[in-house]
Amino acid sequence: MSRAAAETAVSDARSFIRIEDIAKSFSGVPAVAGVSLEIPRGELFCLLGASGSGKTTLLRLLAGFERPDRGTISIDGADVTAMPPYLRPVNLMFQSYALFPHLSVEGNIAFGLRQEKLTRADIARRVEEMLTLVQMTSFARRRPHELSGGQRQRTALARALAKLPKVLLLDEPLAALDRKLREETREELVSIQARLGITFIVVTHDAEEAMGMASRIAILKGGKLAQIGTPAELYDRPRSRYVADFLGPVNLFECEILGHDSGSAVLRLVDLDTELRVRDDLGTARTGRAWVAVRPERMTQTIGAAPVGRMRGILRAAVFRGESHSCRIELPSGKSVLFTAPAAVAIPRQGEPVELTWPPGAGVVLTE
Amino acid sequence: MSGRHRTLAIAAPFAWMLAFSLAPLAIVLKISFSEATAERPPYAPLFEMGADGGIAFQPSISAYLLLLSDGLYFDAFLGSLRVAAVSTFVCLLIGLPMAYAIARSSPQRRNLLVMLVMLPFWTSFLIRVYAWMALLKPTGILNNALVWLGIVDEPLPLMNNDFAVHLGIVYSYLPFMVLPIYAALEKMDWTLVEAAADLGCRPSRTFFTVTMPLCWQGMAAGSLLVFIPAAGEFVIPDLLGGPDTLMVGRVLWTEFFINRDWPAAAALTIAMLSVLLLPILAFQHMGVEADRP
């Protein structure tokens, strides 16, 4: 890296990729409606969202296949908003892999390199490196239709990485693989990313997958950014019911905000008919409804007095998961509450009463 | 469908082909090995009852020797192949972008455009060629318009020359080029074009490195569908061509109906057929190669 480039890297460390207020509509329907993001160099960043959340459109905007209606995208200090895809320092690994059927594995990997002014020897060397990186050396001469799904995925990865892009975009990279292979491939992607230091932006609809690989995640909803943070931040401190629910099973207890006094807020849990005192960081929502979100694994069965929100219900379902039981109880109000009990703990039989609570700090108060 | 029904379904068209395509061809082949006579029919029988009661087989290759001895036939061959090759090339130049544009348009529009390509088939081929005569002749619509507009002083010689023959063939056979290429492009995965762009390939280059290799079978099929009938074309050179337009179709006509030398005409037919079989065989061979993993 030249000195000038190194300096740019230092000065722009936090905003290697800068997306500013980007928006894109298709025949009047907004797909991305004003998203701003900054992604530092070398990060493995995930765009997470349900279908229709705008994550794929955002990826295509980054790759250059779509022109935004407004907003700008800059990469490493250069504005690329109006740059066609073939000039961007970005490569995309397609969800379908989009391997050229008329070219061998080698030919596919060399394709991008042939567009640059490289000598034959340089191209051959780089192809060799990439084949080694993804462990495809012995399949170099095969055509895509002679490869397994996992091998195709590796070829697509090698092809996209061969040009040493500043940013690698991955569209649902694991979606087409079976469960076991998905686990291995996820680890491999993370390790390759760490080794090469290339910024990865992964689009996925699978929260577990995103949490398992990303250093940070942006959750998209309806073309807007719902929340951005590390997997742990998003999981433990969601700011909305949507985010809480998207990242995994969660109990949402509806409350009324009764009042505020000396730095704390008083809530009444509707289903439990008990009051709860929490730190008053509810922002502008001074009165009205709120929700307390508690993850099933943070719920505990009570023995004796419960510190907060004690509830009594009837066990309706229990599923053995190996390391734990996933249980559901029904409160007298009809509301279902999920909890995870360690496998070692004896659980009551179905139809028997269960008392649950959550320890202080396990609940998050949400106002949207 | 049961095996029996399938056999029947294949057998029916097969029998049709055998009766109306191969049988006449066999007759033509037979005539080509006969001697020309002034009788009716104008060729000597191939099998003759001898005086001793046996059947004598008397093949003659004099018709073929005639083809070799007279340079006219060779020139007619070359003329046909040249016109067919040029027309096929022009069809490819026009048809490929057309097929590409149709394949890239929206699905509703696509059906309309394909229908428009096939629309000329609703009118008789002969009438369409006559329509070109009305357009191209010295007092035709085109020349009248040009003279009236003052662009030219005298009518342009648009008809009865090689230009008109090429124009007629390209016009008539263009759909046969467009449709197979369109069929190939329509099946193509367009994310491959995006992938090429993503890998730094400019659109013009992508066309040659990705799109063309994936639709060459359509291009080859279209080229054959234009080249073969164009080489044997009779109506277009006869109506639009000039006195110096020398094509096999015309020579054939002359041999059959003017000179009444049926064996020579039949030999010419067989020779032309053999020449045209070559590209078909080459295409099939390439197709087999391409399908091999």
Side-chain angles (χ1 to χ4, degrees), chain A residues 257 260 265-267 278-286 290 365-367:
Chain A
I257 302 173
H260 307 262
V266 183
L267 310 173
V278 295
R279 200 152 57 81
D280 192 0
D281 50 5
L282 300 182
T284 50
R286 292 274 135 187
V365 182
L366 307 171
T367 52

Side-chain angles (χ1 to χ4, degrees), chain B residues 39-273:
Chain B
E39 289 154 36
R40 198 176 269 263
Y43 56 90
L46 203 52
F47 304 97
E48 210 161 22
M49 194 84 84
D52 56 351
I55 292 172
F57 179 51
Q58 299 172 312
S60 154
I61 55 162
S62 59
Y64 289 94
L65 291 176
L66 178 70
L67 294 191
L68 289 175
S69 63
D70 194 338
L72 170 85
Y73 300 111
F74 186 70
D75 291 345
F77 255 103
L78 276 190
S80 275
L81 294 179
R82 188 177 49 82
V83 168
V86 171
S87 305
T88 304
F89 184 67
V90 174
C91 275
L92 198 57
L93 282 187
I94 303 172
L96 188 56
M98 260 175 87
Y100 190 87
I102 297 173
R104 290 313 307 257
S105 57
S106 68
Q108 310 94 300
R109 221 184 141 87
R110 215 181 287 167
N111 288 336
L112 177 75
L113 292 172
V114 170
M115 210 199 69
L116 285 177
V117 169
M118 295 194 291
L119 201 61
F121 292 131
W122 292 13
T123 314
S124 152
F125 170 68
L126 205 58
I127 289 175
R128 281 182 281 137
V129 177
Y130 273 111
W132 273 110
M133 290 172 74
L135 279 170
L136 298 176
K137 65 185 177 186
T139 55
I141 297 166
L142 208 60
N143 267 319
N144 280 351
L146 288 174
V147 171
W148 185 76
L149 288 169
I151 296 171
V152 293
D153 297 329
E154 278 177 36
L156 294 172
L158 298 174
M159 221 178 83
N160 298 118
N161 52 25
D162 278 1
F163 164 75
V165 174
H166 285 111
L167 183 70
I169 291 179
V170 168
Y171 162 77
S172 302
Y173 292 107
L174 188 60
F176 297 102
M177 181 65 86
V178 173
L179 295 176
I181 301 180
Y182 164 72
L185 287 174
E186 202 249 328
K187 278 184 292 183
M188 209 180 102
D189 176 7
W190 292 102
T191 49
L192 295 176
V193 171
E194 284 191 346
D198 184 68
L199 292 165
C201 199
R202 286 171 182 276
S204 54
R205 225 177 111 82
T206 301
F207 186 78
F208 293 102
T209 53
V210 176
T211 313
M212 262 181 39
L214 291 176
C215 74
W216 76 265
Q217 279 188 324
M219 287 165 63
S223 299
L224 280 185
L225 286 177
V226 173
F227 185 84
I228 290 169
E233 186 55 53
F234 163 71
V235 171
I236 294 170
D238 197 55
L239 295 180
L240 298 176
D244 52 342
T245 306
L246 197 55
M247 288 180 71
V248 168
R250 259 182 148 184
V251 174
L252 263 176
W253 174 272
T254 313
E255 290 299 344
F256 258 116
F257 295 99
I258 312 292
N259 297 348
R260 287 183 59 80
D261 188 345
W262 286 23
L268 196 58
T269 306
I270 298 297
M272 190 70 188
L273 213 60

Side-chain angles (χ1 to χ4, degrees), chain B residues 262-283:
Chain B
W262 286 23
L268 196 58
T269 306
I270 298 297
M272 190 70 188
L273 213 60
S274 316
V275 170
L276 291 182
L277 269 176
L278 286 177
I280 299 178
L281 291 176
F283 175 65

Side-chain angles (χ1 to χ4, degrees), chain A residues 60 63 65 85-87 90-92 94 96 98-102 111-112 114-115 145-146 159 163, chain B residues 189 191-203 205-206 209-210 213-214 290-293:
Chain A
R60 292 177 60 81
F65 297 136
Y86 51 87
L87 295 179
V90 168
N91 285 122
L92 169 60
F94 289 80
S96 64
L99 296 174
F100 302 118
H102 59 298
F111 187 92
R114 295 220 178 95
Q115 315 307 323
H145 68 94
E146 300 170 277
R159 183 178 75 174
K163 293 190 59 128
Chain B
D189 176 7
T191 49
L192 295 176
V193 171
E194 284 191 346
D198 184 68
L199 292 165
C201 199
R202 286 171 182 276
R205 225 177 111 82
T206 301
T209 53
V210 176
L214 291 176
D291 289 342
R292 199 173 290 164

